[in-house]
Amino acid sequence: MPDADPPPIQQDLETAFENLDAQHYVLRLYVAGLTPRSQAAIKNLAAICEQHLAGRYDLEVIDIYQNPGLARNDQIVVAPTLVKQLPDPLRTLVGSLADQERVLVGLDIQPKRG
């Protein structure tokens, strides 16, 4: 006897969770040279990505001194700044990215706690 198909609502939830896990992230981190703050942001973000998005992200680190046009196009006025380009919605986080929970909420990886 074959297993009964799950009800449609359960299927929708299961599909939504599968899609959430499969989302690919496209991130841009703008830094200002190799200052300690820039290096901390790179290190913190790399650790977060490897722990929570392994194999599901593209990270581009942009030095605003070497690529001022990219920073101008994305309206970057302070560094370090992280821009989540995909998945939607676009999000911008500023700072050293040391507060892992704040970064996870900002990237929509973890829901905000009440």
Side-chain angles (χ1 to χ4, degrees):
M1 177 176 200
D3 293 333
D5 290 332
I9 291 175
Q10 183 178 350
Q11 280 182 324
D12 290 344
L13 282 173
E14 289 173 1
T15 301
F17 282 119
E18 288 172 7
N19 289 340
L20 187 63
D21 286 341
Q23 287 182 324
H24 191 84
Y25 283 70
V26 177
L27 307 170
R28 269 190 177 175
L29 178 62
Y30 289 92
V31 296
L34 288 177
T35 65
R37 190 171 168 92
S38 295
Q39 292 176 359
I42 293 167
K43 180 181 172 187
N44 292 334
L45 182 59
I48 290 169
C49 287
E50 284 304 312
Q51 184 175 359
H52 298 278
L53 299 173
R56 300 186 299 125
Y57 71 95
D58 290 324
L59 172 61
E60 184 178 10
V61 178
I62 299 169
D63 183 345
I64 61 174
Y65 295 138
Q66 294 183 7
N67 296 296
L70 287 175
R72 193 173 18 258
N73 289 344
D74 280 346
Q75 301 178 345
I76 303 301
V77 294
V78 65
T81 296
L82 174 64
V83 178
K84 180 187 79 152
Q85 296 181 315
L86 290 174
D88 286 332
L90 182 89
R91 294 281 168 94
T92 301
L93 303 171
V94 175
S96 68
L97 310 173
D99 185 341
Q100 185 173 7
E101 184 174 338
R102 186 169 172 223
V103 174
L104 293 173
V105 170
L107 293 176
D108 298 321
I109 295 171
Q110 175 179 305
K112 186 176 182 178
R113 293 184 185 175

